[in-house]
Amino acid sequence: QGLIPFKTISFGQGVNFTAGLDKVRTSPDHGTAYEIAGKGVADESSFKEAVYMALKIFKNRTEYQELTQDVLKKQRLKRER
C-alpha cells in the first residue's frame, strides 16, 4: 500500500529497488501498460531511471568491495613503504 503514494508522487522518475540480493534488481515505478503497448506513446523515463540506478548501485558495490578487500594486507604494505 505504500507504493500508491510513491507512484503518485514520483511517476516517471520512481525506481523500485530490491535490496539484500547478490544481484542488482531495479524496476520502473509503472506497470506493464499493456493497453498502450506497441502504440509509441509510452514514456520511458522511469525505465531509464531504473537502468541508471542499477548502474550506480553496481558501481557502488564494486567500489566498496575494492576498498574493503584485503584491508590488513593493504595496511602492511603501507607500513613497509
Side-chain angles (χ1 to χ4, degrees), residues 10-81:
S10 66
F11 194 81
Q13 302 288 321
V15 175
N16 294 312
F17 167 63
T18 305
L21 302 176
D22 59 340
K23 308 286 186 215
V24 176
R25 186 204 172 274
T26 61
S27 63
D29 68 355
H30 55 73
T32 55
Y34 287 124
E35 66 278 2
I36 62 171
K39 295 182 179 176
V41 297
D43 181 0
E44 72 281 351
S45 300
S46 185
F47 174 75
K48 287 181 181 180
E49 291 298 323
V51 171
Y52 296 148
M53 179 63 67
L55 292 170
K56 287 179 191 177
I57 293 166
F58 180 79
K59 179 184 173 197
N60 288 341
R61 286 183 179 183
T62 303
E63 183 179 357
Y64 176 78
Q65 287 174 347
E66 289 173 0
L67 291 172
T68 57
Q69 73 181 11
D70 297 327
V71 175
L72 296 176
K73 182 179 178 181
K74 289 177 186 177
Q75 290 176 353
R76 282 194 306 269
L77 291 174
K78 283 183 182 180
R79 281 188 241 137
E80 291 174 3
R81 291 182 188 175

